[in-house]
Amino acid sequence: ASSLLRIGHTPIEGEHKDAVRRATEYLCSVVEEYAKPGPKITDLEGTPIQAKLGPLVDTAMTAQYLARVLPTVPTSDPLHARIDKALDKCLAKLNESQQKDGSWNVGGGWASVLQSSLGCSALEYAQAAGKPVDRQRLEDARKYNLGNFDAKTGATKTEAAAGVALYAFSSSMRANAAQA
């Protein structure tokens, strides 16, 4: 659904609007139905993407999608309210799980720096969609991600990047994108 949304298909318009709407309704249902406390939005564990990026990647990616799709759905459409509420729930879970250093490097994951990058992006997308985002949390997330690469020396911090400099570099560049 994210790919379709990025190329202009929304739950309201575009050749694939029905598929995007169904995907959006499904994601809203997943978030709405998950009643457990904590940072997750599903009990599904051990997926390949979770193993690589970390167990909170589902929350971050869902928040990103919901924040991107929210402005495309008119407030008169009942789906808008569902997206808005599900996004709020995801953002609360992201806020709860953000570490003091600004990362989301929790629960394992081969390259959790990418999970942190996605969490930062989710906050930025939510802010762009008009959601109130804690400025300090966003600043801390950006600072963490930016700190994974030193442009002056070319040094990367790869501890949370599975030893892969490209992941640390990508995290840093992504955090700089909104400011650039």
Side-chain angles (χ1 to χ4, degrees), residues 75-164:
T75 55
S76 60
D77 187 322
L79 182 57
H80 188 278
R82 290 184 67 200
I83 296 167
D84 192 49
K85 188 174 180 182
L87 176 56
D88 285 345
K89 187 173 180 179
C90 288
L91 290 172
K93 288 177 174 288
L94 283 174
N95 285 338
E96 172 187 324
S97 58
Q98 187 177 15
Q99 303 299 292
K100 288 185 191 312
D101 67 357
S103 77
W104 282 270
N105 293 348
V106 294
W110 182 66
S112 58
V113 69
L114 298 174
Q115 177 174 257
S116 292
S117 180
L118 292 168
C120 184
S121 294
L123 295 181
E124 290 175 340
Y125 287 140
Q127 185 179 54
K131 301 302 284 180
V133 171
D134 184 297
R135 294 180 89 123
Q136 189 60 54
R137 288 186 182 278
L138 181 53
E139 184 179 316
D140 290 347
R142 286 178 175 152
K143 184 177 177 183
Y144 168 79
N145 284 289
L146 284 168
N148 286 310
F149 175 71
D150 185 334
K152 292 177 186 164
T153 65
T156 56
K157 292 181 183 176
T158 60
E159 299 83 21
V164 180

Coordinates of all heavy atoms in Angstrom, one line a residue, residues 75-164:
T75 N -12.1 14.5 5.8 CA -12.6 14.3 7.2 C -14.0 13.8 7.2 O -14.4 13.2 8.2 CB -12.5 15.6 8.0 OG1 -13.2 16.7 7.3 CG2 -11.0 16.0 8.2
S76 N -14.8 14.0 6.1 CA -16.1 13.5 6.0 C -16.2 12.0 5.8 O -17.3 11.4 6.1 CB -16.9 14.2 4.9 OG -16.2 14.0 3.7
D77 N -15.1 11.4 5.5 CA -15.1 10.0 5.2 C -14.8 9.3 6.6 O -13.9 9.6 7.3 CB -13.9 9.6 4.3 CG -13.9 8.2 3.8 OD1 -14.2 7.3 4.7 OD2 -13.6 7.9 2.7
P78 N -15.6 8.3 7.0 CA -15.4 7.6 8.3 C -14.0 7.0 8.4 O -13.5 6.8 9.5 CB -16.5 6.5 8.3 CG -17.5 7.0 7.3 CD -16.8 7.8 6.3
L79 N -13.4 6.7 7.3 CA -12.0 6.1 7.4 C -11.0 7.1 8.0 O -10.1 6.7 8.6 CB -11.6 5.6 6.0 CG -10.2 5.0 5.9 CD1 -10.2 3.7 6.8 CD2 -10.0 4.5 4.5
H80 N -11.3 8.4 7.7 CA -10.4 9.4 8.3 C -10.2 9.3 9.8 O -9.1 9.4 10.3 CB -10.8 10.8 7.8 CG -9.8 11.9 8.2 ND1 -9.8 12.5 9.4 CD2 -8.9 12.5 7.4 CE1 -8.8 13.4 9.4 NE2 -8.3 13.4 8.2
A81 N -11.4 9.2 10.5 CA -11.3 9.1 11.9 C -10.6 7.9 12.4 O -9.9 7.9 13.4 CB -12.8 9.2 12.5
R82 N -10.8 6.8 11.7 CA -10.1 5.5 12.1 C -8.6 5.7 11.9 O -7.8 5.2 12.7 CB -10.6 4.4 11.2 CG -12.1 3.9 11.5 CD -12.5 2.7 10.7 NE -11.7 1.5 11.1 CZ -11.6 0.5 10.4 NH1 -12.1 0.4 9.2 NH2 -10.9 -0.6 10.8
I83 N -8.2 6.3 10.8 CA -6.8 6.5 10.5 C -6.2 7.3 11.6 O -5.1 7.1 12.2 CB -6.5 7.1 9.1 CG1 -7.0 6.1 8.0 CG2 -5.1 7.5 9.0 CD1 -7.1 6.8 6.6
D84 N -6.9 8.4 11.9 CA -6.4 9.4 12.9 C -6.2 8.7 14.3 O -5.2 8.9 14.9 CB -7.4 10.5 13.0 CG -6.9 11.7 13.8 OD1 -5.8 12.2 13.5 OD2 -7.6 12.2 14.7
K85 N -7.2 7.9 14.7 CA -7.1 7.3 16.0 C -6.0 6.2 16.0 O -5.3 6.1 17.0 CB -8.5 6.7 16.3 CG -8.6 6.1 17.7 CD -10.0 5.7 18.0 CE -10.1 5.1 19.4 NZ -11.4 4.6 19.8
A86 N -5.9 5.4 14.9 CA -4.9 4.4 14.8 C -3.5 5.0 14.8 O -2.6 4.5 15.5 CB -5.1 3.5 13.6
L87 N -3.3 6.2 14.1 CA -2.1 6.9 14.1 C -1.7 7.4 15.5 O -0.6 7.2 16.0 CB -2.1 8.0 13.1 CG -0.8 8.9 13.1 CD1 0.4 8.1 12.8 CD2 -1.0 10.0 12.0
D88 N -2.7 7.9 16.2 CA -2.4 8.4 17.6 C -1.9 7.2 18.5 O -1.0 7.4 19.3 CB -3.7 9.0 18.2 CG -4.0 10.3 17.7 OD1 -3.1 11.0 17.1 OD2 -5.2 10.8 17.9
K89 N -2.5 6.0 18.3 CA -2.1 4.9 19.1 C -0.7 4.5 18.8 O 0.1 4.2 19.7 CB -3.1 3.7 18.9 CG -2.9 2.5 19.7 CD -4.1 1.5 19.5 CE -3.9 0.3 20.4 NZ -5.0 -0.6 20.2
C90 N -0.4 4.4 17.5 CA 1.0 4.1 17.1 C 2.0 5.1 17.6 O 3.1 4.7 18.1 CB 1.1 4.0 15.6 SG 0.3 2.6 14.8
L91 N 1.7 6.4 17.5 CA 2.6 7.4 18.0 C 2.8 7.3 19.5 O 3.9 7.5 20.0 CB 2.0 8.8 17.7 CG 2.1 9.2 16.2 CD1 1.4 10.5 15.9 CD2 3.5 9.2 15.7
A92 N 1.7 7.0 20.3 CA 1.9 6.8 21.7 C 2.8 5.6 22.0 O 3.6 5.7 22.9 CB 0.5 6.6 22.4
K93 N 2.7 4.6 21.2 CA 3.6 3.4 21.4 C 5.0 3.7 21.0 O 5.9 3.3 21.7 CB 3.0 2.2 20.6 CG 1.8 1.6 21.2 CD 1.2 0.5 20.4 CE 0.0 -0.2 21.1 NZ 0.4 -1.0 22.3
L94 N 5.2 4.5 20.0 CA 6.5 4.9 19.6 C 7.1 5.8 20.7 O 8.3 5.7 21.1 CB 6.5 5.7 18.3 CG 6.4 4.8 17.0 CD1 6.3 5.7 15.8 CD2 7.6 3.9 16.9
N95 N 6.4 6.8 21.2 CA 6.8 7.6 22.3 C 7.3 6.8 23.5 O 8.3 7.1 24.1 CB 5.8 8.7 22.7 CG 5.6 9.8 21.7 OD1 6.5 10.0 20.9 ND2 4.5 10.4 21.7
E96 N 6.4 5.9 23.8 CA 6.7 5.0 25.0 C 8.0 4.2 24.9 O 8.7 3.9 25.9 CB 5.5 4.1 25.2 CG 5.6 3.0 26.2 CD 4.5 2.0 26.2 OE1 3.3 2.5 26.0 OE2 4.7 0.8 26.4
S97 N 8.3 3.8 23.7 CA 9.5 2.9 23.5 C 10.7 3.6 23.0 O 11.8 3.0 22.9 CB 9.1 1.9 22.4 OG 8.7 2.5 21.2
Q98 N 10.7 4.9 22.8 CA 11.9 5.6 22.4 C 12.9 5.6 23.6 O 12.5 5.9 24.7 CB 11.6 7.1 22.0 CG 12.8 7.8 21.4 CD 12.4 9.2 20.9 OE1 11.4 9.7 21.2 NE2 13.3 9.7 20.1
Q99 N 14.1 5.3 23.3 CA 15.2 5.3 24.4 C 15.7 6.7 24.7 O 15.5 7.6 23.9 CB 16.3 4.4 23.9 CG 15.9 3.0 23.5 CD 15.3 2.3 24.7 OE1 16.0 1.9 25.6 NE2 14.0 2.0 24.6
K100 N 16.4 6.8 25.8 CA 16.9 8.1 26.2 C 17.8 8.7 25.2 O 17.9 10.0 25.0 CB 17.6 8.0 27.5 CG 16.7 7.8 28.7 CD 17.4 7.8 30.0 CE 16.7 7.4 31.2 NZ 15.4 7.8 31.5
D101 N 18.5 7.9 24.4 CA 19.5 8.4 23.4 C 18.8 8.8 22.1 O 19.4 9.2 21.1 CB 20.6 7.4 23.1 CG 20.1 6.1 22.4 OD1 18.9 5.9 22.2 OD2 21.0 5.3 22.1
G102 N 17.4 8.7 22.0 CA 16.7 9.0 20.9 C 16.4 7.9 19.9 O 15.7 8.0 18.9
S103 N 17.0 6.7 20.2 CA 16.8 5.6 19.3 C 15.6 4.7 19.7 O 15.0 4.9 20.7 CB 18.1 4.7 19.4 OG 18.1 3.9 20.6
W104 N 15.4 3.7 18.9 CA 14.4 2.7 19.2 C 15.2 1.3 19.1 O 14.7 0.3 18.6 CB 13.2 2.7 18.2 CG 12.2 3.7 18.5 CD1 11.2 3.6 19.3 CD2 12.2 5.1 18.0 NE1 10.5 4.8 19.3 CE2 11.1 5.7 18.5 CE3 13.1 5.8 17.2 CZ2 10.8 7.1 18.3 CZ3 12.8 7.1 16.9 CH2 11.7 7.7 17.4
N105 N 16.4 1.3 19.6 CA 17.2 0.1 19.5 C 16.9 -0.8 20.7 O 17.7 -0.9 21.7 CB 18.7 0.5 19.6 CG 19.2 1.2 18.3 OD1 18.5 1.3 17.3 ND2 20.3 1.8 18.4
V106 N 15.7 -1.4 20.7 CA 15.3 -2.2 21.7 C 14.8 -3.6 21.2 O 14.4 -3.7 20.0 CB 14.1 -1.6 22.5 CG1 14.5 -0.4 23.2 CG2 12.9 -1.3 21.6
G107 N 15.0 -4.6 22.0 CA 14.4 -5.9 21.6 C 15.2 -6.7 20.6 O 14.7 -7.6 20.1
G108 N 16.4 -6.3 20.3 CA 17.1 -7.0 19.3 C 17.0 -6.5 17.9 O 16.6 -5.3 17.7
G109 N 17.2 -7.3 17.0 CA 17.2 -6.9 15.6 C 18.7 -6.8 15.1 O 19.6 -6.3 15.8
W110 N 18.9 -7.3 13.9 CA 20.2 -7.4 13.4 C 20.8 -6.0 13.1 O 22.0 -5.8 13.3 CB 20.1 -8.3 12.1 CG 21.4 -8.5 11.4 CD1 22.5 -9.2 11.8 CD2 21.7 -8.1 10.1 NE1 23.5 -9.3 10.9 CE2 23.0 -8.6 9.8 CE3 21.1 -7.3 9.1 CZ2 23.7 -8.3 8.6 CZ3 21.7 -7.1 7.9 CH2 23.0 -7.6 7.7
A111 N 20.0 -5.1 12.6 CA 20.4 -3.8 12.3 C 19.3 -2.8 12.8 O 18.6 -2.1 12.1 CB 20.5 -3.6 10.8
S112 N 19.2 -2.7 14.1 CA 18.2 -1.9 14.7 C 18.3 -0.4 14.5 O 17.4 0.3 14.7 CB 18.2 -2.2 16.3 OG 19.4 -1.9 16.8
V113 N 19.5 0.0 14.0 CA 19.6 1.4 13.6 C 18.6 1.8 12.5 O 18.1 2.9 12.5 CB 21.1 1.7 13.1 CG1 21.3 1.1 11.8 CG2 21.3 3.2 13.0
L114 N 18.2 0.8 11.7 CA 17.2 1.1 10.7 C 15.8 1.2 11.3 O 15.0 2.0 10.8 CB 17.2 0.0 9.6 CG 18.6 0.0 8.8 CD1 18.6 -1.2 7.9 CD2 18.8 1.3 8.1
Q115 N 15.5 0.5 12.4 CA 14.3 0.6 13.1 C 14.2 2.0 13.7 O 13.2 2.7 13.7 CB 14.2 -0.4 14.2 CG 13.0 -0.3 15.1 CD 12.9 -1.5 16.1 OE1 12.2 -2.4 15.9 NE2 13.7 -1.4 17.2
S116 N 15.3 2.5 14.2 CA 15.4 3.9 14.7 C 15.2 4.9 13.6 O 14.5 5.9 13.9 CB 16.7 4.1 15.4 OG 16.8 3.3 16.6
S117 N 15.7 4.7 12.5 CA 15.5 5.6 11.4 C 14.0 5.6 11.0 O 13.5 6.7 10.7 CB 16.3 5.1 10.2 OG 16.2 6.0 9.1
L118 N 13.4 4.5 11.0 CA 11.9 4.4 10.6 C 11.1 5.1 11.7 O 10.1 5.8 11.4 CB 11.5 3.0 10.4 CG 12.1 2.3 9.2 CD1 11.8 0.8 9.3 CD2 11.5 2.9 7.9
G119 N 11.5 5.0 13.0 CA 10.8 5.6 14.0 C 10.9 7.2 13.9 O 9.9 7.9 14.1
C120 N 12.0 7.6 13.6 CA 12.3 9.1 13.3 C 11.4 9.5 12.2 O 10.7 10.6 12.3 CB 13.7 9.3 13.1 SG 14.2 11.1 12.9
S121 N 11.4 8.8 11.1 CA 10.6 9.2 9.9 C 9.1 9.2 10.3 O 8.3 10.1 9.8 CB 10.8 8.2 8.8 OG 12.1 8.3 8.3
A122 N 8.7 8.2 11.1 CA 7.3 8.2 11.5 C 6.9 9.5 12.2 O 5.8 10.0 12.0 CB 7.0 7.0 12.4
L123 N 7.7 9.9 13.1 CA 7.4 11.2 13.8 C 7.4 12.4 12.9 O 6.5 13.2 13.0 CB 8.5 11.4 14.9 CG 8.6 10.5 16.1 CD1 9.6 10.9 17.1 CD2 7.2 10.3 16.8
E124 N 8.3 12.4 11.9 CA 8.3 13.5 10.9 C 7.1 13.5 10.1 O 6.5 14.5 9.8 CB 9.6 13.4 10.1 CG 10.8 13.8 10.8 CD 12.1 13.6 10.0 OE1 12.1 12.8 9.0 OE2 13.1 14.2 10.4
Y125 N 6.7 12.3 9.6 CA 5.5 12.2 8.7 C 4.2 12.6 9.5 O 3.4 13.3 9.0 CB 5.3 10.8 8.2 CG 6.2 10.4 7.1 CD1 6.8 9.1 7.1 CD2 6.6 11.3 6.1 CE1 7.6 8.7 6.1 CE2 7.5 10.9 5.1 CZ 8.0 9.6 5.1 OH 8.9 9.2 4.1
A126 N 4.2 12.2 10.8 CA 3.0 12.5 11.6 C 3.0 14.1 11.8 O 1.9 14.7 11.7 CB 3.1 11.8 13.0
Q127 N 4.1 14.7 12.1 CA 4.2 16.1 12.2 C 3.7 16.8 11.0 O 2.9 17.8 11.0 CB 5.6 16.5 12.6 CG 5.7 18.0 12.9 CD 7.1 18.4 13.3 OE1 8.1 18.1 12.5 NE2 7.3 19.0 14.4
A128 N 4.2 16.3 9.8 CA 3.8 16.9 8.5 C 2.3 16.7 8.3 O 1.6 17.5 7.6 CB 4.6 16.2 7.4
A129 N 1.7 15.7 8.9 CA 0.2 15.4 8.7 C -0.6 16.2 9.7 O -1.8 16.1 9.7 CB -0.1 13.9 8.9
G130 N 0.1 17.1 10.5 CA -0.6 17.9 11.5 C -0.8 17.3 12.9 O -1.5 17.9 13.7
K131 N -0.2 16.2 13.1 CA -0.3 15.6 14.5 C 0.7 16.3 15.4 O 1.8 16.7 15.0 CB 0.1 14.1 14.4 CG -0.8 13.3 13.5 CD -2.3 13.4 13.8 CE -2.7 12.6 15.0 NZ -4.1 12.7 15.4
P132 N 0.3 16.5 16.7 CA 1.2 17.1 17.6 C 2.3 16.1 17.9 O 2.0 15.0 18.4 CB 0.4 17.4 18.8 CG -0.8 16.5 18.7 CD -1.0 16.2 17.3
V133 N 3.6 16.5 17.7 CA 4.7 15.6 17.9 C 5.6 16.3 18.9 O 5.9 17.5 18.8 CB 5.5 15.3 16.6 CG1 6.8 14.6 16.9 CG2 4.6 14.4 15.7
D134 N 6.0 15.6 20.0 CA 6.9 16.2 21.0 C 8.2 16.6 20.3 O 8.9 15.7 19.7 CB 7.1 15.1 22.1 CG 8.0 15.7 23.2 OD1 9.2 16.0 22.9 OD2 7.5 15.7 24.3
R135 N 8.5 17.9 20.3 CA 9.7 18.4 19.6 C 11.0 17.8 20.2 O 11.9 17.5 19.4 CB 9.7 19.9 19.8 CG 8.6 20.6 19.1 CD 8.8 22.1 19.4 NE 9.6 22.6 18.3 CZ 9.2 23.6 17.5 NH1 8.1 24.2 17.7 NH2 10.0 24.0 16.5
Q136 N 11.0 17.6 21.5 CA 12.3 17.0 22.0 C 12.5 15.6 21.6 O 13.6 15.2 21.3 CB 12.2 17.1 23.6 CG 13.6 16.7 24.2 CD 14.7 17.7 23.7 OE1 14.6 18.9 23.9 NE2 15.8 17.1 23.2
R137 N 11.4 14.8 21.5 CA 11.5 13.4 21.0 C 12.0 13.4 19.6 O 12.9 12.6 19.2 CB 10.2 12.7 21.2 CG 9.8 12.4 22.6 CD 8.6 11.5 22.6 NE 8.2 11.2 24.0 CZ 8.7 10.3 24.7 NH1 9.6 9.5 24.2 NH2 8.3 10.0 25.9
L138 N 11.5 14.3 18.8 CA 11.9 14.3 17.4 C 13.3 14.8 17.3 O 14.1 14.2 16.5 CB 10.9 15.2 16.6 CG 11.2 15.3 15.1 CD1 11.3 14.0 14.4 CD2 10.2 16.2 14.4
E139 N 13.7 15.8 18.0 CA 15.1 16.3 18.0 C 16.0 15.2 18.5 O 17.1 15.0 17.9 CB 15.2 17.5 18.9 CG 16.6 18.1 18.9 CD 16.7 19.4 19.8 OE1 15.7 20.2 19.7 OE2 17.7 19.5 20.5
D140 N 15.6 14.4 19.5 CA 16.5 13.4 20.0 C 16.6 12.3 19.0 O 17.7 11.7 18.8 CB 15.9 12.8 21.3 CG 16.0 13.7 22.5 OD1 16.7 14.7 22.4 OD2 15.3 13.4 23.5
A141 N 15.6 11.9 18.3 CA 15.6 10.9 17.2 C 16.5 11.3 16.1 O 17.4 10.6 15.6 CB 14.2 10.6 16.7
R142 N 16.4 12.6 15.7 CA 17.3 13.1 14.6 C 18.7 13.1 15.0 O 19.6 12.7 14.3 CB 16.8 14.5 14.2 CG 15.6 14.5 13.4 CD 15.2 15.9 13.1 NE 14.0 16.0 12.2 CZ 13.2 17.0 12.2 NH1 13.4 18.1 12.9 NH2 12.2 17.0 11.3
K143 N 19.0 13.5 16.3 CA 20.3 13.6 16.8 C 21.0 12.2 16.8 O 22.1 12.0 16.4 CB 20.3 14.2 18.2 CG 21.7 14.4 18.8 CD 21.6 15.1 20.1 CE 23.0 15.3 20.7 NZ 23.0 15.9 22.0
Y144 N 20.2 11.2 17.3 CA 20.7 9.9 17.3 C 21.1 9.4 15.9 O 22.2 8.9 15.7 CB 19.7 8.9 17.9 CG 20.1 7.5 17.7 CD1 21.1 6.9 18.5 CD2 19.6 6.7 16.7 CE1 21.6 5.6 18.3 CE2 20.1 5.4 16.4 CZ 21.0 4.9 17.2 OH 21.5 3.6 17.0
N145 N 20.2 9.6 15.0 CA 20.4 9.1 13.6 C 21.6 9.9 13.0 O 22.4 9.3 12.3 CB 19.1 9.2 12.8 CG 18.2 8.0 13.1 OD1 18.4 6.9 12.8 ND2 17.1 8.4 13.8
L146 N 21.6 11.2 13.2 CA 22.7 11.9 12.6 C 24.0 11.5 13.2 O 25.1 11.6 12.5 CB 22.5 13.4 12.8 CG 21.4 14.1 12.0 CD1 21.1 15.5 12.5 CD2 21.9 14.2 10.5
G147 N 24.1 11.1 14.4 CA 25.3 10.7 15.1 C 25.9 9.4 14.6 O 27.0 9.1 15.0
N148 N 25.2 8.7 13.7 CA 25.8 7.5 13.2 C 26.8 7.6 12.1 O 27.4 6.6 11.7 CB 24.6 6.5 12.8 CG 23.9 6.0 14.0 OD1 24.5 5.5 14.9 ND2 22.6 6.2 14.0
F149 N 27.0 8.8 11.6 CA 28.0 9.1 10.6 C 28.6 10.5 10.8 O 27.9 11.4 11.0 CB 27.3 9.0 9.2 CG 28.2 9.4 8.1 CD1 29.2 8.5 7.7 CD2 28.1 10.6 7.4 CE1 30.1 8.9 6.6 CE2 28.9 10.9 6.4 CZ 29.9 10.1 6.0
D150 N 29.9 10.5 10.7 CA 30.6 11.8 10.9 C 31.1 12.2 9.5 O 32.0 11.6 8.9 CB 31.8 11.6 11.8 CG 32.5 12.9 12.1 OD1 32.5 13.9 11.2 OD2 33.1 13.1 13.2
A151 N 30.5 13.2 8.9 CA 30.8 13.6 7.5 C 32.3 14.1 7.4 O 32.9 14.0 6.4 CB 29.9 14.7 7.0
K152 N 32.8 14.7 8.5 CA 34.2 15.2 8.4 C 35.2 14.1 8.4 O 36.2 14.2 7.7 CB 34.4 16.1 9.7 CG 33.6 17.4 9.6 CD 33.8 18.2 10.9 CE 32.9 19.4 10.8 NZ 32.8 20.0 12.1
T153 N 35.0 13.0 9.1 CA 36.0 12.0 9.2 C 35.6 10.8 8.4 O 36.4 9.9 8.1 CB 36.2 11.5 10.6 OG1 35.0 10.9 11.1 CG2 36.6 12.7 11.5
G154 N 34.3 10.6 8.0 CA 33.9 9.5 7.3 C 33.6 8.3 8.2 O 33.3 7.2 7.7
A155 N 33.7 8.5 9.5 CA 33.5 7.4 10.5 C 32.1 7.1 10.7 O 31.2 8.0 10.7 CB 34.2 7.7 11.8
T156 N 31.8 5.8 10.8 CA 30.4 5.4 11.1 C 30.4 4.6 12.4 O 31.3 3.9 12.7 CB 29.8 4.5 10.0 OG1 30.7 3.4 9.8 CG2 29.7 5.3 8.7
K157 N 29.2 4.7 13.1 CA 29.0 3.9 14.2 C 28.1 2.7 13.8 O 27.0 2.9 13.4 CB 28.2 4.7 15.3 CG 29.0 5.8 15.9 CD 28.1 6.5 17.0 CE 28.9 7.7 17.5 NZ 28.0 8.4 18.5
T158 N 28.7 1.6 13.8 CA 28.0 0.4 13.2 C 27.5 -0.6 14.3 O 27.1 -1.7 13.9 CB 28.9 -0.3 12.2 OG1 30.1 -0.7 12.9 CG2 29.3 0.6 11.1
E159 N 27.6 -0.3 15.6 CA 27.2 -1.2 16.6 C 25.8 -1.7 16.4 O 25.5 -2.9 16.6 CB 27.4 -0.6 18.0 CG 28.8 -0.2 18.4 CD 29.2 1.1 17.8 OE1 28.4 2.0 17.5 OE2 30.5 1.3 17.7
A160 N 24.9 -0.8 16.1 CA 23.5 -1.1 16.0 C 23.1 -1.3 14.5 O 22.0 -1.4 14.1 CB 22.6 0.0 16.6
A161 N 24.2 -1.4 13.6 CA 24.0 -1.5 12.2 C 24.5 -2.8 11.6 O 24.9 -2.8 10.5 CB 24.6 -0.3 11.5
A162 N 24.6 -3.8 12.5 CA 25.1 -5.1 12.1 C 26.5 -5.0 11.5 O 26.9 -5.8 10.7 CB 24.1 -5.7 11.1
G163 N 27.2 -4.0 11.9 CA 28.6 -3.8 11.4 C 28.6 -3.3 10.0 O 29.7 -3.2 9.4
V164 N 27.5 -2.9 9.5 CA 27.4 -2.4 8.1 C 27.4 -0.9 8.0 O 26.4 -0.3 8.5 CB 26.2 -3.0 7.4 CG1 26.1 -2.5 5.9 CG2 26.2 -4.5 7.5

